[in-house]
Amino acid sequence: MSDGGERIEVGTDQDVVRVRQLVRTVAVSVKLSLVDQTKLVTAASELARNTLVYGGGGAVEVSRVDNGRRQGIRIVFSDQGPGIADLDLALTDGYTTGGGLGLGLSGARRLVDEFDIDTAVGRGTTITVTKWCR
Ligand SMILES: Nc1ncnc2c1ncn2[C@@H]1O[C@H](COP(=O)(O)OP(=O)(O)O)[C@@H](O)[C@H]1O
Ligand SMILES: [Mg+2]
């Protein structure tokens, strides 16, 4: 089950800041622990920045989810940018095509409970992450 969610269009650095703030607010509202709030905000920040920098902008949607046992947060990052040709490579620690640290995707994956990437070259990228309350 999921609520309607809230959507932020990501086209500037300021939008990435708004994503961080929204994720923090929703994380508090579902009573994620302080440590898990910080992990999720960190992951969301990295993924939203990728949406902006590599995806050429896009959207982030944050919703509360409930699987009958637990509450959690799901965040979907989507862009219609170039896509990722080699996902395994992109998920390797230290791999970057943009002169970054190359730890955004791989780090984000470790910081959440569920991590899914749907990408196609020339079409774009959609990344869905979920963190559950424990
Ligand atoms: N939304 C995206 N669209 C296209 N390529 C992406 C996207 N997100 C990540 N990538 C690719 O994956 C690489 C690794 O991303 P990441 O781990 O965040 O490292 P960094 O941002 O430091 O480059 C990027 O350099 C880029 O080539
Ligand atoms: Mg990155």
Side-chain angles (χ1 to χ4, degrees), residues 36-134:
D36 282 348
Q37 287 172 33
T38 300
K39 287 181 180 176
L40 187 63
V41 170
T42 302
S45 184
E46 290 295 329
L47 297 173
R49 185 151 297 287
N50 284 351
T51 299
L52 177 64
V53 172
Y54 300 110
V60 176
E61 201 164 303
V62 182
S63 37
R64 297 197 211 195
V65 287
D66 189 325
N67 67 3
R69 285 193 308 126
R70 291 177 176 183
Q71 278 206 304
I73 306 183
R74 182 158 294 148
I75 314 174
V76 181
F77 306 81
S78 55
D79 66 64
Q80 298 188 319
I84 302 174
D86 188 335
L87 250 189
D88 284 344
L89 193 57
L91 282 162
T92 303
D93 280 350
Y95 176 81
T96 177
T97 59
L101 290 177
L103 293 171
L105 279 181
S106 55
R109 178 157 71 164
R110 287 189 288 263
L111 292 170
V112 298
D113 295 319
E114 294 169 25
F115 184 91
D116 178 75
I117 301 187
D118 182 7
T119 186
V121 171
R123 296 261 182 102
T125 301
T126 299
I127 300 182
T128 304
V129 305
T130 307
K131 194 138 187 93
W132 297 106
C133 297
R134 49 202 75 248

Side-chain angles (χ1 to χ4, degrees), residues 3-58:
D3 72 359
E6 261 191 82
R7 185 181 163 95
I8 293 178
E9 305 293 330
V10 174
T12 66
D13 284 331
Q14 184 54 35
D15 296 329
V16 176
V17 174
R18 290 169 58 223
V19 168
R20 292 178 66 98
Q21 290 166 343
L22 175 61
V23 170
R24 176 72 73 176
T25 300
V26 178
V28 169
S29 80
V30 301
K31 300 193 170 66
L32 227 57
S33 73
L34 190 56
V35 168
D36 282 348
Q37 287 172 33
T38 300
K39 287 181 180 176
L40 187 63
V41 170
T42 302
S45 184
E46 290 295 329
L47 297 173
R49 185 151 297 287
N50 284 351
T51 299
L52 177 64
V53 172
Y54 300 110

